[in-house]
Amino acid sequence: MKTHPAGRKLFAHAFGCQMSAADVAEMSGALAKRGFALTSELDEADAVLVGTCTVRDHAEHRALSYIGRLREWKTSHPEGAIIVAGCAAERIGGGELKRRFPHVDLVAGSKSVESFPSIVDSFLSKRAPAEPKTSPAVSASGISATLTIMRGCDAACSYCIVPSVRGPESHRPAGEILGEARLKAEAGAREFTLLGQAVNGWHGAFEGRPAGFGDLLGLVASVPGVERVRFMSPHPLRFDETVARAMAEHPKVVPALHLPAQSGSDRILALMRRGYDRASYLATVAMARRLLPGLTVTTDILLGFPTETEADFADSLSLLSEMGAVSAFCFKYSPRQGTPSSLLCDDVPREVKEERLVLLHALVAELSAAYLDSLVGREVSVLVDEPGTGRAADGFRVRLDEPVLPGRVVSAVVSGRAGNILMAHIPRRKA
Ligand code: SF4
């Protein structure tokens, strides 16, 4: 590895969920403060940071096979450093990972994100003479930025490995979150997504008074430069009127709610230990719609959970229509070692899971298309993040008829769609 900090480059890649991406962004920021400039070219990198995810079997396998392939990179870059981070690293453990992949230099699991700066200082001091640190810099965050507001999870969904790899909930202080939001807004970020495993469980204090998640939404929305605030993912049990009212009070908080249901079957929800049933989930959606006119709702569905019958699956399909979802992320169940559900027989055959996934995707495509078609002729607000294209408040992409510069929020009239991308023009206002 080069010893001059200004000459070092970092290639960072995150597998899996948004938390994994946010952790990699935070760790890349720590490395940037130690003189590493980001590069998109693996070949020119002096260090590679891999964010792993273990929430789903598939994401973990992809990350591990990528780490395996880095052996070749290490051969051509013997001085280079490979750092493996994230939930799969936490689950597997540093010792086992290094045994399987001897070319890995440093393992920092998901419980080490906050202590990563000192871990990396100690690591770098062993590899090279002490080096001056560059002045703190905010990593280029683009128009959209994430803010991790809490880590870990206190829920106990029977299929989920997160509580064991990320530990119990810890909530970042409001001042720290707002400080990060200000820095990122000064660097040009306009849209902020507040991240946490059950993000609406955040609580803390602000100016000596207790503050809840709804208060935090308002505080982030008030940071100068912030145009939009989103959050991901709330737990239905904790989504109450306080949060919905806070969303309604702050126009910069988008009227879009991603509320993971996981299943529409009461029997499966009980086995999943989600803590709610279909009726209470639908009541929560109805409450949010009542307080937030024009709200769009999306969800997650986990299909093929042990013992899921055709009737249970039909309940998930009908839930999507009944709740009026405009989109959904759909996943096939795979047992995660050490979780309560891994003790159940994974008895839904692979081909049945595949068939159900196809059916779910077809329904989601239909629901999205119907929603997007309903927007034709209507005005939507677009936050431009690339010349001439951006995102509407509901999260769908919009292509404009003129090359508006990134960072601006414009009103545009929807003229049609290409797949799930809206086409829109900016109306000429009379002087
Ligand atoms: S709420 Fe449930 S699914 Fe989500 S991270 Fe916590 S335990 Fe996992």
Side-chain angles (χ1 to χ4, degrees), residues 153 155-157 159-160 162-163 197-198 235 274:
C153 184
C157 303
Y159 54 86
C160 184
V162 165
Q197 304 291 349
H235 194 291
R274 289 289 288 172

mmCIF file of all heavy atoms in Angstrom, residues 153 155-157 159-160 162-163 197-198 235 274, ligand 1:
data_model
loop_
_atom_site.group_PDB
_atom_site.id
_atom_site.type_symbol
_atom_site.label_atom_id
_atom_site.label_comp_id
_atom_site.label_asym_id
_atom_site.label_seq_id
_atom_site.Cartn_x
_atom_site.Cartn_y
_atom_site.Cartn_z
ATOM 1 N N CYS A 153 -31.749 -4.131 16.605
ATOM 2 C CA CYS A 153 -33.204 -4.262 16.630
ATOM 3 C C CYS A 153 -33.622 -5.031 17.872
ATOM 4 O O CYS A 153 -33.001 -6.036 18.227
ATOM 5 C CB CYS A 153 -33.672 -4.993 15.368
ATOM 6 S SG CYS A 153 -35.464 -5.080 15.290
ATOM 7 N N ALA A 155 -36.791 -6.163 18.164
ATOM 8 C CA ALA A 155 -37.893 -7.073 17.824
ATOM 9 C C ALA A 155 -37.331 -8.499 17.720
ATOM 10 O O ALA A 155 -36.123 -8.705 17.801
ATOM 11 C CB ALA A 155 -38.542 -6.643 16.519
ATOM 12 N N ALA A 156 -38.209 -9.446 17.575
ATOM 13 C CA ALA A 156 -37.747 -10.838 17.565
ATOM 14 C C ALA A 156 -38.494 -11.621 16.484
ATOM 15 O O ALA A 156 -39.059 -12.677 16.766
ATOM 16 C CB ALA A 156 -37.970 -11.452 18.934
ATOM 17 N N CYS A 157 -38.487 -11.079 15.264
ATOM 18 C CA CYS A 157 -39.154 -11.797 14.165
ATOM 19 C C CYS A 157 -38.449 -13.145 14.006
ATOM 20 O O CYS A 157 -37.208 -13.196 14.000
ATOM 21 C CB CYS A 157 -39.076 -10.971 12.888
ATOM 22 S SG CYS A 157 -39.812 -9.348 13.129
ATOM 23 N N TYR A 159 -37.773 -15.201 11.755
ATOM 24 C CA TYR A 159 -36.935 -15.543 10.597
ATOM 25 C C TYR A 159 -35.685 -14.684 10.500
ATOM 26 O O TYR A 159 -34.852 -14.875 9.611
ATOM 27 C CB TYR A 159 -37.739 -15.346 9.291
ATOM 28 C CG TYR A 159 -38.331 -13.955 9.198
ATOM 29 C CD1 TYR A 159 -37.603 -12.912 8.687
ATOM 30 C CD2 TYR A 159 -39.618 -13.697 9.677
ATOM 31 C CE1 TYR A 159 -38.133 -11.630 8.646
ATOM 32 C CE2 TYR A 159 -40.157 -12.431 9.635
ATOM 33 C CZ TYR A 159 -39.405 -11.408 9.122
ATOM 34 O OH TYR A 159 -39.925 -10.143 9.094
ATOM 35 N N CYS A 160 -35.539 -13.698 11.401
ATOM 36 C CA CYS A 160 -34.572 -12.632 11.146
ATOM 37 C C CYS A 160 -33.299 -12.770 11.967
ATOM 38 O O CYS A 160 -33.337 -12.966 13.181
ATOM 39 C CB CYS A 160 -35.227 -11.279 11.431
ATOM 40 S SG CYS A 160 -34.144 -9.917 11.021
ATOM 41 N N VAL A 162 -31.017 -10.346 12.092
ATOM 42 C CA VAL A 162 -30.489 -9.015 12.434
ATOM 43 C C VAL A 162 -30.239 -8.829 13.936
ATOM 44 O O VAL A 162 -29.165 -8.379 14.334
ATOM 45 C CB VAL A 162 -31.400 -7.902 11.866
ATOM 46 C CG1 VAL A 162 -31.095 -6.557 12.491
ATOM 47 C CG2 VAL A 162 -31.225 -7.819 10.353
ATOM 48 N N PRO A 163 -31.211 -9.177 14.813
ATOM 49 C CA PRO A 163 -30.934 -8.943 16.236
ATOM 50 C C PRO A 163 -29.660 -9.641 16.718
ATOM 51 O O PRO A 163 -28.945 -9.103 17.550
ATOM 52 C CB PRO A 163 -32.181 -9.502 16.937
ATOM 53 C CG PRO A 163 -33.257 -9.368 15.908
ATOM 54 C CD PRO A 163 -32.586 -9.655 14.590
ATOM 55 N N GLN A 197 -33.351 -0.358 11.485
ATOM 56 C CA GLN A 197 -34.043 -1.634 11.255
ATOM 57 C C GLN A 197 -35.522 -1.520 11.588
ATOM 58 O O GLN A 197 -36.350 -2.125 10.939
ATOM 59 C CB GLN A 197 -33.408 -2.745 12.095
ATOM 60 C CG GLN A 197 -31.926 -2.927 11.863
ATOM 61 C CD GLN A 197 -31.612 -3.477 10.489
ATOM 62 O OE1 GLN A 197 -32.503 -3.909 9.776
ATOM 63 N NE2 GLN A 197 -30.355 -3.456 10.111
ATOM 64 N N ALA A 198 -35.829 -0.786 12.640
ATOM 65 C CA ALA A 198 -37.239 -0.492 12.961
ATOM 66 C C ALA A 198 -37.208 1.008 13.270
ATOM 67 O O ALA A 198 -37.282 1.428 14.410
ATOM 68 C CB ALA A 198 -37.713 -1.312 14.138
ATOM 69 N N HIS A 235 -41.496 -0.150 11.620
ATOM 70 C CA HIS A 235 -42.203 -1.366 12.028
ATOM 71 C C HIS A 235 -43.685 -1.017 12.189
ATOM 72 O O HIS A 235 -44.004 -0.016 12.844
ATOM 73 C CB HIS A 235 -41.636 -1.895 13.346
ATOM 74 C CG HIS A 235 -42.079 -3.295 13.634
ATOM 75 N ND1 HIS A 235 -43.392 -3.601 13.960
ATOM 76 C CD2 HIS A 235 -41.415 -4.471 13.609
ATOM 77 C CE1 HIS A 235 -43.497 -4.904 14.130
ATOM 78 N NE2 HIS A 235 -42.315 -5.455 13.919
ATOM 79 N N ARG A 274 -44.496 -11.411 14.203
ATOM 80 C CA ARG A 274 -44.447 -9.996 13.826
ATOM 81 C C ARG A 274 -45.190 -9.112 14.829
ATOM 82 O O ARG A 274 -45.050 -7.898 14.809
ATOM 83 C CB ARG A 274 -45.044 -9.819 12.419
ATOM 84 C CG ARG A 274 -44.182 -10.375 11.310
ATOM 85 C CD ARG A 274 -42.949 -9.551 11.087
ATOM 86 N NE ARG A 274 -43.237 -8.263 10.453
ATOM 87 C CZ ARG A 274 -42.316 -7.302 10.290
ATOM 88 N NH1 ARG A 274 -41.083 -7.474 10.720
ATOM 89 N NH2 ARG A 274 -42.643 -6.165 9.710
HETATM 90 S S1 SF4 B 1 -38.131 -5.752 12.891
HETATM 91 FE FE1 SF4 B 1 -38.016 -7.983 12.648
HETATM 92 S S2 SF4 B 1 -37.385 -8.221 10.467
HETATM 93 FE FE2 SF4 B 1 -36.935 -6.101 11.019
HETATM 94 S S3 SF4 B 1 -34.777 -6.143 11.702
HETATM 95 FE FE3 SF4 B 1 -36.055 -6.364 13.554
HETATM 96 S S4 SF4 B 1 -36.215 -8.589 13.894
HETATM 97 FE FE4 SF4 B 1 -35.525 -8.262 11.775
#
